[in-house]
């Protein structure tokens, strides 16, 4: 398990928020930037007080990851933090940023996973990419091809933003079919946003991990449909594929600003799931499953170390 403070045994991860954000910046969310280190520190303290041990930050390249702050925040809070490399949808970037990366994003991803973000910062522990609404555009296909190349070189898991929870099969057809990424190296995010039990089961049968993240979003069918979706998967034998996360993406959603924030996952949200599904199963979702999903054999050498050196001086954003 590659954290911002170094590698740890997967069993040491503890209770894990498998998809969240301490720092995030996007032109799609003007005025709601997560860019305050002290607010991030307060959120981690609240998460720790609620029983949390680890946070996977899915913020990828170019979206204000706060890479330089993450090691200090991990040390001070006692919470393991895993950082991400990768790229989100094109809409989250200025055109010149994407043009600069067009010829070699795989090299950037490998470098950030094995050498460090910006060459000297903490190493990333996962790759984040994104699909579109029920499909994949050219940017998504290009980014996912680079992610597959970096995954083969490092063993890192690929986390996928599914737009409104849709397009899981298109992602799996590309990543696991055409690009030959092992299904257990793929995490499909935001499945709670589309409570399609048939699609959920198909993704689980394919062997991917399923992330149900972002509780208490009034404009998604999240909290009130979640027990039904998770129960259906567990009853079908896929309880070992389920991950839970908070996905805090705006300053107003932080608990320190009156929103649900990171602690909500382990407070009211977990209480409801415990009642509906049983405490043992929910504990599995929060501990054993993320320990497997985010683990990797980091001792293996990259297939093409030269690519990593080419992008070593890339910005850390």
């Amino acid at each position: 398990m590659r954290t911002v403070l170094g590698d740890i045994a997967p069993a040491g991860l503890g209770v894990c928020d498998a998809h969240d954000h301490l720092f995030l910046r996007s032109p799609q969310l003007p005025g709601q930037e997560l860019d305050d280190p002290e607010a991030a520190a307060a959120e981690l303290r609240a998460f720790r007080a609620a029983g949390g041990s680890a946070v996977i930050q899915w913020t990828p390249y170019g979206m204000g990851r706060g890479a330089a702050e993450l090691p200090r925040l991990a040390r001070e809070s006692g919470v393991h933090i895993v950082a991400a490399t990768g790229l989100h949808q094109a809409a989250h970037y200025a055109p010149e940023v994407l043009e600069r990366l067009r010829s070699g994003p795989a090299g950037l991803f490998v470098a950030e996973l094995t050498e460090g973000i910006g060459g000297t910062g903490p190493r990333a522990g996962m790759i984040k990419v994104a699909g579109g609404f029920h499909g994949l555009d050219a940017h998504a296909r290009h980014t996912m091809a680079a992610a597959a190349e970096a995954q083969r070189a490092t063993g890192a898991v690929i986390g996928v933003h599914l737009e409104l929870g849709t397009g899981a099969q298109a992602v799996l057809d590309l990543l696991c079919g055409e690009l030959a990424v092992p299904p257990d190296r793929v995490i499909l995010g935001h499945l709670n946003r589309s409570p399609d039990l048939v699609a959920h089961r198909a993704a689980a049968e394919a062997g991917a991990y399923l992330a149900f993240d972002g509780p208490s979003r009034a404009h998604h069918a999240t909290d009130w449909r979640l027990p039904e979706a998770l129960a259906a998967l567990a009853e079908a034998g896929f309880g070992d594929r389920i991950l839970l996360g908070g996905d805090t993406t705006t300053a107003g959603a932080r608990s320190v600003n009156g929103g649900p924030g990171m602690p909500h996952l382990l407070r009211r949200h977990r209480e409801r799931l415990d009642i509906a599904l049983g405490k043992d199963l929910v504990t599995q979702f929060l501990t054993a499953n993320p320990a497997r999903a985010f683990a990797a054999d980091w001792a293996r050498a990259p297939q093409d170390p030269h690519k990593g050196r080419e992008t070593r001086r890339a910005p850390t954003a």
Side-chain angles (χ1 to χ4, degrees):
M1 188 75 57
R2 178 147 291 171
T3 79
V4 297
L5 294 180
D7 296 351
I8 64 171
L13 196 65
V15 174
C16 180
D17 178 341
H19 181 169
D20 225 311
H21 301 274
L22 291 162
F23 297 95
L24 180 70
R25 181 183 66 243
S26 169
Q28 301 297 302
L29 297 169
Q32 285 294 324
E33 293 81 4
L34 297 178
D35 57 5
D36 182 347
E38 296 317 306
E43 199 73 357
L44 282 171
R45 288 194 296 270
F47 177 71
R48 183 69 171 171
S53 301
V55 172
I56 315 297
Q57 172 167 269
W58 283 42
T59 311
Y61 174 87
M63 294 186 67
R65 287 173 289 186
E69 295 287 348
L70 295 178
R72 176 183 69 84
L73 292 174
R75 282 192 298 268
E76 293 180 355
S77 66
V79 174
H80 298 298
I81 299 174
V82 174
T85 186
L87 289 171
H88 209 315
Q89 296 163 333
H92 294 282
Y93 301 95
E96 57 269 23
V97 173
L98 296 180
E99 185 59 34
R100 186 168 67 243
L101 294 173
R102 194 165 303 282
S103 63
L108 170 67
F109 301 166
V110 171
E112 293 196 334
L113 290 161
T114 61
E115 300 175 25
I117 295 171
T120 58
R123 290 178 295 182
M126 68 167 292
I127 307 164
K128 156 75 173 284
V129 293
F133 186 57
H134 287 290
L136 302 174
D137 62 12
H139 170 81
R141 290 181 175 276
H142 180 65
T143 303
M144 289 185 190
E149 184 177 343
Q151 195 285 321
R152 286 191 293 273
T154 64
V157 71
I158 300 172
V160 185
H161 165 99
L162 298 179
E163 186 67 18
L164 297 180
T166 68
Q169 194 57 55
V171 168
L172 293 173
D173 287 347
L174 177 60
L175 281 178
C176 303
E178 184 178 334
L179 298 172
V181 174
D184 66 351
R185 295 288 77 203
V186 175
I187 300 172
L188 300 171
H190 307 320
L191 285 166
N192 49 298
R193 299 186 188 182
S194 178
D196 182 339
L197 304 190
V198 175
H200 295 174
R201 177 157 180 169
E205 288 177 343
Y209 284 94
L210 282 60
F212 293 82
D213 40 50
S216 289
R217 293 186 176 211
H219 59 300
H220 297 310
T222 54
D223 290 11
W224 66 279
R225 294 294 300 273
L226 189 58
E228 175 190 1
L230 300 186
L233 286 167
E235 289 168 6
F238 299 114
D240 62 342
R241 316 312 296 169
I242 295 169
L243 306 173
L244 300 177
D247 192 30
T248 308
T249 59
T250 63
R254 279 184 158 154
S255 66
V256 295
N257 293 327
M262 289 181 179
H264 178 75
L265 177 68
L266 303 180
R267 291 178 176 162
R268 298 302 183 194
H269 195 58
R270 183 175 186 175
E271 289 175 6
R272 293 181 64 253
L273 295 181
D274 284 346
I275 293 169
L277 304 171
K279 291 184 178 181
D280 289 347
L281 187 57
V282 177
T283 297
Q284 178 185 340
F285 299 162
L286 291 166
T287 57
N289 292 358
R292 286 195 316 277
F294 293 98
D297 181 7
W298 295 108
R300 63 194 286 184
Q303 291 178 349
D304 188 355
H306 180 64
K307 284 189 175 181
R309 287 196 296 271
E310 286 177 345
T311 55
R312 186 168 185 146
R313 297 183 183 278
T316 62

